[in-house]
Amino acid sequence: MEAIRTCVACRAREKRAGLRRVVVVNNEYVFDDKASMPGRGAWVHDSVECVQKAISRNTFARALRVAASVATHNLENRLKLIMDNS
Ligand SMILES: [Zn+2]
């Protein structure tokens, strides 16, 4: 049985293989590509739409119960990477 997670941006339920895990490390959001880092994680589709939405609405802060001031540059870098590859 594969675990089901919810995307923080579009709220769709998805097998975890279809989502990317995001955690907070040293007050910044980090993509946990191996889904093995400790602590609370939030999940998002690896798509321009969902990552963009998550950044603009600050949904990671709510999902992870952290301050809105957590740095989003890794999320923005990821967004650029997805855009470049699409
Ligand atoms: Zn999504």
Side-chain angles (χ1 to χ4, degrees), residues 8-75:
V8 295
C10 68
R11 312 300 307 174
R13 288 159 62 79
E14 184 81 72
K15 288 175 189 164
R16 56 183 272 179
L19 298 168
R20 292 283 166 265
R21 186 170 188 258
V22 173
V23 296
V24 175
V25 179
N26 296 330
N27 212 41
E28 64 181 59
Y29 294 112
V30 173
F31 276 89
D32 176 14
D33 286 325
K34 290 177 183 166
S36 62
M37 292 171 84
R40 184 181 282 270
W43 299 76
V44 67
H45 284 111
D46 206 14
S47 71
V48 170
E49 201 186 6
C50 286
V51 175
Q52 208 159 41
K53 202 173 182 180
I55 295 169
S56 66
R57 297 190 186 174
N58 226 333
T59 55
F60 283 115
R62 244 173 296 154
L64 294 171
R65 296 177 195 166
V66 295
S69 58
V70 172
T72 58
H73 57 258
N74 284 325
L75 303 179

